[in-house]
Amino acid sequence: MNSFSALIARDLRLACRQASDSLTVLAFFILVTVLFPLAVGPEPGILARIGAGVVWVAALLAAMLSMDRMFQSDYDDGTLELLVAAPIPLEIVVLAKASAHWLTTGVPLIAAAPLMGVLLNLEPEGYGALLLALALGTPSLSLIGAVGAALILGSRRGGALLSLLILPLFVPVLIFGVAAVEASLTDVSARPQLLILAALALAALALTPWPAAAALRQAVE
Amino acid sequence: MAVFSGTDLRCVRGERPVFDGVSFRLNSGAVLELRGANGTGKSSLLRMMTGLLPSAGGTLSWNDEPIAADADAHRTRINYIGHLDGVKGMLSVAENLRFWMSLRAGAEADEERYHMALATFGIEALADTPARYLSAGQRRRVALARLVACPASLWLLDEPATALDTAAAAALDHTMGSHLGAGGMVVMSTHEPARHPTPRVDLNDYARRARGAVRTAAGMTA
């Protein structure tokens, strides 16, 4: 547990010193969302209809943007091989890295989402569900992304490859994330969708550390 | 009294045999030098001992128990210094060192050990300097300070004296001396001329054997 928190603390410290990385993700999220009213026209009805979907797709793409760096710098400077050889389970390292990734990209995205809702004329009833759905869905993105980020280590043009590998796996999170907001907008309880998102997050928590750790061992061989 | 040994180790990299039939036996308080031309597998053998690289054949043992049977226990006994320093440029020297200490149970809050590690390699004055401003030799000193900061009985050093000046190389020699005196073990690859008679594995012989084996195998199928 001690090494787990030490790893997170180190990654957060690194993220603070290189704040531009997290800010790029946030700026990308905002820019992509802003493009939609410009592209489909400022008709409030249309924007309110597509709002939840736009916020979710923008959040997925923004999270992807920082994912390929999750293990890359540790791989480049030799830290990763030392972590593999260190007396802590590599699965714990993966969990710590994914947690740090969520804290530095998932949390800022959640914080910026209400503003994007306003921009897209989202109905007031939808905000609660949107925030809850993002809070439950983004950890899955970081965890699944960790597997992809570990697999692409050492390959050329890893970022593009990562999108191809990982985006299809994000589809369930996207579907239930948007469905939760739609449900709350039509006065139906969003509880089932939110529960499914929570289940996906728990499944990702339980299943992703092992393949990611195996991919990391393969990468440092 | 611990024994670290290897029998009939074989290494294949990308279908190319690197060495074959390497055996050694190392007791507490002893050094094993790995020598051989470039590409004969010194680093590969060290990475095998670290557990980073699976061997294509043969066994590594600790007290005659295969280390593969309890890889977790093996990782608590080793300290590996590879070609890459594993030093984060955005963190200060102190933050780098404390991070590695926090991953070792029993070393997390050992202030005395931390100061000793900095003093041993003469980097006290650099403690608050971001590591990206360090020279190659200074980064190497930070990497080597891990040996003192994170206690482990088996040191696996891949050309540890690279980029070091004479003072730091002497400090490394001295540190290794006290480690061995306390019953530790060192396996190191080196190109420097030997000053003391130490047990060694000359990988040139084994590499030749591995290539010879391929030639015979090819001859037999032809």
Side-chain angles (χ1 to χ4, degrees), chain A residues 31-65:
Chain A
L31 271 175
V32 169
T33 319
V34 166
L35 287 181
F36 276 84
L38 298 175
V40 301
E43 175 72 42
I46 297 177
L47 289 181
R49 175 72 193 79
I50 63 169
V54 169
V55 172
W56 261 104
V57 170
L60 284 193
L61 295 177
M64 285 294 313
L65 200 60

Side-chain angles (χ1 to χ4, degrees), chain A residues 2-4 6-7 10-11 13-14 17-18 73-90 97 217 219-221, chain B residues 13 47 50-54 72 75-76 78 80-92 95 99-100 102-105 108 139 146:
Chain A
N2 212 344
S3 9
F4 180 75
L7 268 161
R10 184 202 67 149
D11 273 23
R13 192 173 276 158
L14 284 169
R17 307 249 164 105
Q18 293 160 307
S73 74
D74 282 345
Y75 175 75
D76 291 338
D77 66 17
T79 305
L80 188 61
E81 52 182 40
L82 292 173
L83 285 174
V84 174
I88 45 168
L90 198 53
K97 299 288 286 184
R217 285 195 190 95
V220 298
E221 234 178 53
Chain B
R13 299 293 276 160
R47 292 172 74 84
T50 312
L52 291 173
L53 183 69
D72 292 341
R75 286 201 296 268
T76 62
I78 57 166
Y80 170 68
I81 304 284
H83 280 292
L84 298 167
D85 293 322
V87 175
K88 282 266 170 241
M90 295 304 279
L91 298 180
S92 72
E95 286 166 339
F99 168 67
W100 289 111
S102 67
L103 297 189
R104 286 267 164 181
E108 305 102 317
R139 291 172 80 96
R146 275 206 313 269

Side-chain angles (χ1 to χ4, degrees), chain B residues 134-158:
Chain B
L134 300 184
S135 73
Q138 285 171 327
R139 291 172 80 96
R140 196 70 187 171
R141 287 176 185 224
V142 177
L144 290 171
R146 275 206 313 269
L147 292 174
V148 180
C150 307
S153 46
L154 175 60
W155 291 4
L156 301 164
L157 314 177
D158 201 351

Side-chain angles (χ1 to χ4, degrees), chain A residues 135-167:
Chain A
L136 290 171
T138 43
S140 313
L141 305 187
S142 295
L143 285 163
I144 298 170
V147 181
L151 279 171
I152 58 151
L153 283 178
S155 69
R156 285 184 309 116
R157 302 199 32 82
L161 187 62
L162 180 65
S163 316
L164 294 178
L165 276 174
I166 290 303
L167 276 177

